Amino acid sequence: MLSAPTGSRGTLMLGAAALTLACVGTAPAWAAACKPAGETLFGGVDAPLAVDADCTDPDYNADTLVLDSTESKMLKLPDGGTIGYTEVKAHWPAAGQAQQAPAGGEAAKPAIHSLVWRFPDKKLFRNRFFQQTYPLNIEMLNVVDARFAFETGGGYTVGVNAGNPNVGFRVPAAAAKLAKAYARKHYGTNERIYGYMYGQSGGSVQTIAAAEGTTGVWDGLIPVVIATDGLNSHSFAWGALYNLAIPTEKRKAIAEAAAPGSGKDIRAGLNAEEHAVLDEVLSAGFPQNVLETMQFSMGGGMFGFGSVRAFDPGYFTDFWTTPGYEGANSPSFLKAAIVDGTATISSITRNLQGEATAIVFDAASMPALGSSGVDGVQFMVVQDGTANPDKGDAPALKGKLEGTTVKLEDGKNSPALLATLASGTKVRLDNRAAIAMAFYPRHSILENGNPAYNQYRNADGSPRYAQRPKTPIAIPLLSNIGAAGGIVQSGRIRTKTIVFENLYDGNSYPYVASFYAGQVKRALGAKQAQQMFRLYYQENGIHGVFLDPLPGKFGTMTAATGGTLHQVLLDLANWAEKGIAPRASTRHTLDPMNQVVLPASAAARGGHQAVTRLTVNGGKRAEVAVNQSVTVTGRITMPSGPGKVVQYDWYLGTPNAKFEPAIKLAVPKKTVMASRTVSFAKPGEYVITFRATGQREGKQDTTTPLNNIDRVRVVVK
């Protein structure tokens, strides 16, 4: 077993041979420190660090790394076999780090950044590593599936759990560079080691930044379900607007109408204001199919509140007082939602340590709630009730209002603020900031060519709505640039990059991948972009990548895309290491509402997934009597190139949300037809799912399944 004293600094023990971390550091002792590429950016974010293969990060390096443990472990495989691997855990301590402040927020506290390297047995190592990144300390978003990496990919893994989200690509890059040096000693090799990193959602911000801001650290990068500049804050605002403008029951009706085979119009029953907001959100790129399941929150629109309050505080006054803003000339749904009044604390619930855990208001003092209820309401501690929460001149409690009680979020409130609470303390309940934030995209049009904002322009290109004052960096971009290490996305990638985007995703609007592809093409030119970039769309994939189908009903509505991502990682490795170009980008178009449209046929579409189509009695919906049979017919077609269908399975709308046992093909095929007759003994609506699994070599039970689904509806009367 490989070991080292827990908490030892600067020394790794490899069996009997002690190696200082400086010896396996990121560069020779004479290597220069990585230098900032410019000055501090608007919003107080540090300029990006120019990171290459040789420079040494001034904060995150071999001399500052603390080893925590080195241990031999075994990975159990599904077939009962095992793979041995060495796990190294370490961290960079908080002391001495240059910490960035998140735009619009408080200065970041010094943070501990932990890392873990996992090295498989030497017989499996093929001179490469895989890495997943995410700006928050969420382990599942910072590790790579070990079986894929070790057995299928032949690589070790690099993982980082960041203690502060505003480190961009610096900590992931430093961890990757040190791991390379360690691996050369561990495996006894001087050969080149190739590296591949991917990141989901917020991790895509780091990955895109790494593609545009680094050289020589990674050989290929995959941003997954991407968060493009501006859209990751504006998308929350559009969701808030949808919640604000369309009542709950009508949102439920829209969800039902958006489901496959509903036979209903999503706009039925909407008044003119509601119809316009639905079209606005769809034209912003929110995928219509996800209206079926998405939960919208007006409070979610507060995502960018800190930046707006810090750098555009006049917006909130203008919104409510200046002609041309919705607050000054309010639509009916806005007026109905306003909450603005002061309540008095009648009692406080405390834990055994005397800390406040809940406050109770005098019911007679409670202001009336609006049409959106407590969603987006702030609780501002005041004594005279005059504080304006939009200007930040009263501290806010974080908690959830239920009746007259606010249950305080554990660990999220200032102890000093909690100590001021007493019977008789005044608390202002106000959602005016949340309402104003819901309309912010109209008044802060991005000028980077993004088509989502065309709806806010007149025919001559002029804005339809009043616009906020210009800033050196557009305020909606500030939420990205900290996590991006100071990089403002331009499309000027410097490393082979593949964008991986799913189409059943209401968090990363699918069209943004196409938009970023356009940025790359404009920045590099068509020829170089073809040599450096790909985009793959996956039908029915959600916000994130999972190797196994999700449990429960949602698993009958969506396709797992983790196996497809693994296949793309292997293709990326072949591209970087052998010069074998990966498949062409998925062919697609955008309709007038920025909805992504894929070609119907596998040959025309390309990509990796099996194109899966299901009909019932020849259509997407059938209405029958109890015990009356229907015929469901599925067709699976793999795209051109290697790949075959290896199995398919059925879900027949049962309450347990379970698929029938899979039908595994003895001889995998490029195209599969499957048909069956079913009937139902009770009235109801039954949504049938047909699930297909393909695989590049036509193999079963791999880490690279290529999944897709389709659904139809049977109405039994």
Side-chain angles (χ1 to χ4, degrees):
M1 174 174 163
L2 308 183
S3 61
T6 299
S8 63
R9 189 182 183 90
T11 301
L12 291 176
M13 301 296 292
L14 285 174
L19 298 172
T20 66
L21 279 171
C23 292
V24 296
T26 60
W30 46 262
C34 306
K35 300 294 185 181
E39 303 297 326
T40 300
L41 304 176
F42 171 74
V45 177
D46 291 343
L49 210 63
V51 176
D52 59 27
D54 298 321
C55 70
T56 299
D57 190 295
D59 294 311
Y60 311 111
N61 53 57
D63 292 333
T64 59
L65 188 69
V66 176
L67 178 69
D68 297 312
S69 63
T70 308
E71 186 177 0
S72 293
K73 291 189 172 183
M74 301 297 290
L75 173 69
K76 293 183 179 179
L77 301 175
D79 63 3
T82 59
I83 293 175
Y85 67 97
T86 300
E87 179 180 85
V88 178
K89 290 185 176 181
H91 72 275
W92 279 290
Q97 296 174 7
Q99 298 293 330
Q100 299 182 123
E106 299 177 357
K109 297 178 181 179
I112 295 172
H113 305 288
S114 60
L115 60 84
V116 57
W117 302 327
R118 295 186 174 103
F119 302 93
D121 290 343
K122 185 174 182 178
K123 62 184 179 182
L124 296 174
F125 183 54
R126 300 207 294 272
N127 297 307
R128 60 172 71 130
F129 72 88
F130 300 98
Q131 182 173 3
Q132 183 177 193
T133 188
Y134 193 75
L136 298 177
N137 191 351
I138 301 175
E139 185 175 6
M140 66 175 290
L141 297 175
N142 286 288
V143 297
V144 178
D145 179 82
R147 181 190 170 200
F148 163 74
F150 299 167
E151 183 181 54
T152 310
Y156 62 86
T157 65
V158 176
V160 172
N161 279 318
N164 165 21
N166 297 294
V167 296
F169 50 74
R170 286 182 61 183
V171 173
K177 289 161 71 172
L178 277 176
K180 282 185 183 181
Y182 185 100
R184 290 190 180 96
K185 297 290 184 180
H186 181 71
Y187 291 117
T189 180
N190 290 317
E191 294 184 24
R192 176 178 176 178
I193 296 175
Y194 294 83
Y196 309 98
M197 184 173 75
Y198 66 96
Q200 306 178 50
S201 190
S204 77
V205 177
Q206 296 174 297
T207 310
I208 291 174
E212 296 188 7
T214 72
T215 57
V217 180
W218 298 281
D219 299 279
L221 295 153
I222 304 181
V224 179
V225 293
I226 67 176
T228 53
D229 281 349
L231 266 293
N232 67 327
S233 59
H234 275 174
S235 62
F236 288 100
W238 281 312
L241 179 61
Y242 184 81
N243 178 280
L244 176 68
I246 302 177
T248 301
E249 290 306 312
K250 290 189 178 182
R251 293 200 305 273
K252 290 180 179 178
I254 291 171
E256 292 175 0
S262 72
K264 300 175 182 177
D265 180 357
I266 62 170
R267 295 172 177 81
L270 301 182
N271 64 31
E273 288 179 339
E274 295 160 351
H275 189 296
V277 167
L278 174 58
D279 284 354
E280 179 176 351
V281 172
L282 292 176
S283 294
F286 182 88
Q288 180 173 312
N289 58 335
V290 187
L291 290 171
E292 177 188 8
T293 55
M294 190 74 173
Q295 299 297 310
F296 297 90
S297 166
M298 197 174 83
M302 293 291 281
F303 179 80
F305 174 66
S307 294
V308 177
R309 183 176 65 179
F311 304 113
D312 188 14
Y315 170 68
F316 299 100
T317 299
D318 290 346
F319 180 83
W320 292 103
T321 62
T322 303
Y325 289 88
E326 295 80 2
N329 184 23
S330 302
S332 60
F333 66 81
L334 188 158
K335 293 177 181 177
I338 295 174
V339 177
D340 188 359
T342 302
T344 303
I345 295 178
S346 61
S347 63
I348 301 173
T349 302
R350 301 182 184 276
N351 60 20
L352 294 176
Q353 289 74 42
E355 300 164 332
T357 58
I359 57 175
V360 180
F361 294 129
D362 176 11
S365 71
M366 284 280 293
L369 297 179
S371 58
S372 293
V374 300
D375 194 14
V377 172
Q378 292 180 289
F379 309 103
M380 317 298 292
V381 179
V382 296
Q383 292 301 326
D384 57 10
T386 61
N388 184 346
D390 304 334
K391 295 182 179 179
D393 55 5
L397 291 168
K398 294 183 179 180
K400 182 178 180 180
L401 179 63
E402 297 179 358
T404 60
T405 300
V406 177
K407 294 184 177 180
L408 301 172
E409 292 186 37
D410 187 28
K412 296 294 183 66
N413 289 287
S414 161
L417 176 60
L418 295 179
T420 68
L421 302 178
S423 179
T425 299
K426 305 291 186 182
V427 177
R428 182 174 178 179
L429 280 64
D430 192 315
N431 69 351
R432 292 177 303 109
I435 291 173
M437 287 300 299
F439 292 91
Y440 199 65
R442 294 183 180 182
H443 304 288
S444 55
I445 296 174
L446 296 185
E447 297 182 344
N448 58 359
N450 191 305
Y453 301 92
N454 292 342
Q455 62 181 319
Y456 298 145
R457 300 183 188 278
N458 296 310
D460 63 359
S462 61
R464 293 172 53 198
Y465 300 97
Q467 294 298 295
R468 304 308 299 160
K470 303 296 182 186
T471 51
I473 296 175
I475 290 172
L477 274 60
L478 294 178
S479 59
N480 257 21
I481 63 173
I487 294 289
V488 178
Q489 294 171 4
S490 67
R492 192 167 296 281
I493 58 174
R494 306 166 74 183
T495 302
K496 288 181 170 62
T497 302
I498 298 175
V499 169
F500 189 95
E501 192 75 9
N502 293 335
L503 291 178
Y504 199 87
D505 186 349
N507 293 291
S508 173
Y509 294 3
Y511 87 94
V512 300
S514 180
F515 169 67
Y516 186 71
Q519 286 186 301
V520 172
K521 188 174 181 178
R522 288 190 294 273
L524 302 185
K527 183 177 180 180
Q528 189 177 3
Q530 176 64 20
Q531 296 171 350
M532 296 280 289
F533 182 84
R534 294 290 190 274
L535 161 60
Y536 299 128
Y537 277 115
Q538 285 65 238
E539 271 189 320
N540 300 302
I542 65 168
H543 189 66
V545 287
F546 302 91
L547 183 58
D548 298 315
L550 296 176
K553 184 177 179 181
F554 204 53
T556 72
M557 305 164 67
T558 57
T561 57
T564 310
L565 173 65
H566 287 165
Q567 183 60 63
V568 172
L569 280 164
L570 296 178
D571 291 349
L572 181 60
N574 279 333
W575 197 10
E577 297 169 22
K578 301 178 182 178
I580 301 173
R583 297 186 178 201
S585 295
T586 306
R587 297 180 185 91
H588 65 279
T589 57
L590 300 184
D591 74 6
M593 282 190 166
N594 294 310
Q595 304 291 302
V596 174
V597 180
L598 302 185
S601 75
R605 179 182 302 182
H608 298 78
Q609 275 185 310
V611 175
T612 307
R613 290 294 174 260
L614 181 65
T615 60
V616 55
N617 289 354
K620 301 303 289 183
R621 173 187 176 93
E623 296 186 8
V624 296
V626 170
N627 293 323
Q628 182 180 349
S629 296
V630 295
T631 300
V632 286
T633 302
R635 179 184 176 89
I636 309 167
T637 309
M638 294 299 296
S640 301
K644 293 182 179 181
V645 181
V646 296
Q647 70 177 45
Y648 61 87
D649 49 359
W650 299 89
Y651 164 67
L652 298 181
T654 53
N656 63 9
K658 291 185 178 180
F659 281 81
E660 296 177 344
I663 298 172
K664 298 186 177 183
L665 302 182
V667 179
K669 301 177 180 179
K670 292 291 291 184
T671 300
V672 171
M673 294 288 294
S675 184
R676 63 187 296 179
T677 299
V678 297
S679 62
F680 300 91
K682 295 181 179 180
E685 296 197 12
Y686 298 83
V687 178
I688 297 173
T689 305
F690 182 57
R691 183 167 62 190
T693 301
Q695 205 276 334
R696 185 66 63 84
E697 288 81 31
K699 296 179 180 179
Q700 300 278 1
D701 301 322
T702 68
T703 62
T704 54
L706 308 172
N707 295 314
N708 203 353
I709 67 161
D710 198 16
R711 294 181 285 160
V712 295
R713 184 179 301 266
V714 179
V715 180
V716 182
K717 297 181 177 180

